[in-house]
């Protein structure tokens, strides 16, 4: 009797696994994965074929591969990019320039380009795009509290939710927001992950 139950249980598990695989096997579009090589997104398909899509960024722009979010169908990518002006001997270094982009990958055009100013860090995590692609969430660190060169007209950090069509801020959380204050979220010491 014990072996019959065990056999039935294994049969149920095997059936569930098979049913879970059928939708993936029956898809018209083959699956793929993106790799970022520092300039391009390289789409690698299940059969090993590849296609490269340039992000259209200048040489002095940094994009972290972990700071990207993709639409469900893989047609768009949201990411932060920071440009560091070259140092000029004898002059004070210029502040970085940070943008958040929503890019149509195949068309190789930016659907959205929001200038975040001289933020020192920016992150659109893997879940930074809403399921319908209408919103982009981005974390921004504008400065470290206590920095004498900081532009304190902005909060030290911000969590922004942007409208993907217009770039307008739909929602913002920062150290001065009532929700942050009531939860005791500090101005310093937070880590973007």
């Amino acid at each position: 009797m014990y072996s019959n139950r065990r056999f039935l249980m294994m049969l149920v598990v095997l059936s569930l696994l098979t049913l879970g695989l059928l939708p993936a096997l029956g898809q018209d579009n083959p699956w793929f994965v993106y790799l970022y090589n520092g300039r391009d997104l390289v789409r690698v398909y299940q059969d090993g074929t590849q296609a490269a899509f340039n992000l259209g960024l200048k040489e002095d722009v940094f994009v972290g591969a972990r700071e990207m979010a993709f639409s469900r169908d893989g047609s768009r990518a949201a990411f932060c990019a920071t440009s560091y002006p070259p140092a000029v001997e004898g002059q004070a270094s210029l502040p970085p320039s940070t943008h958040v982009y929503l890019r149509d990958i195949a068309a190789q055009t930016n659907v959205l380009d929001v200038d975040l100013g001289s933020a020192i860090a920016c992150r659109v995590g893997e879940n930074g795009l809403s399921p319908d692609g209408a919103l982009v969430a981005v974390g921004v660190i504008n400065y470290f509290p206590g920095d004498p060169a900081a532009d304190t007209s902005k909060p030290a950090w911000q969590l922004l939710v942007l409208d993907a069509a217009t770039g307008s801020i739909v929602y913002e959380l920062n150290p001065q927001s009532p929700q942050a204050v009531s939860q005791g979220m500090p101005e310093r010491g937070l880590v973007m992950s």
Side-chain angles (χ1 to χ4, degrees):
M1 184 152 179
Y2 176 73
S3 61
N4 284 344
R5 282 187 186 172
R6 187 173 169 183
F7 174 76
L8 286 173
M9 190 60 126
M10 288 177 54
L11 187 60
V12 168
V13 169
L14 185 60
S15 297
L16 290 173
L17 288 173
T18 303
L19 289 174
L21 291 175
L22 288 178
L25 293 174
Q27 291 178 353
D28 292 333
N29 297 327
W31 66 263
F32 57 87
V33 63
Y34 281 115
L35 301 174
Y36 178 60
N37 68 9
R39 299 272 32 103
D40 304 314
L41 283 175
V42 179
R43 187 183 291 175
V44 181
Y45 294 94
Q46 66 191 35
D47 65 0
T49 58
Q50 302 175 14
F53 301 95
N54 191 277
L55 292 181
L57 301 172
K58 297 177 186 174
E59 289 297 319
D60 66 345
V61 175
F62 173 78
V63 175
R66 293 188 51 199
E67 275 85 47
M68 292 185 185
F70 294 91
S71 60
R72 287 184 179 217
D73 64 0
S75 66
R76 292 182 171 188
F79 56 91
C80 285
T82 303
S83 173
Y84 298 94
V88 177
E89 191 173 325
Q91 293 182 359
S93 51
L94 297 171
S97 173
T98 304
H99 289 249
V100 63
Y101 295 100
L102 179 59
R103 185 146 177 102
D104 182 312
I105 297 169
Q108 296 188 20
T109 59
N110 294 329
V111 177
L112 182 68
D113 175 355
V114 177
D115 185 351
L116 298 173
S118 60
I120 58 173
C122 172
R123 182 153 195 249
V124 175
E126 66 182 71
N127 296 310
L129 270 174
S130 62
D132 63 359
L135 301 172
V136 179
V138 57
V140 181
I141 296 178
N142 293 306
Y143 59 87
F144 294 111
D147 179 355
D151 174 6
T152 57
S153 66
K154 292 183 175 183
W157 59 265
Q158 298 168 284
L159 176 60
L160 304 173
V161 178
L162 306 174
D163 181 298
T166 66
S168 62
I169 297 172
V170 176
Y171 181 77
E172 178 177 353
L173 182 69
N174 64 55
Q176 290 80 39
S177 299
Q179 300 88 340
V181 172
S182 70
Q183 294 298 313
M185 296 178 80
E187 183 175 34
R188 66 176 73 211
L190 294 180
V191 176
M192 288 196 302
S193 63

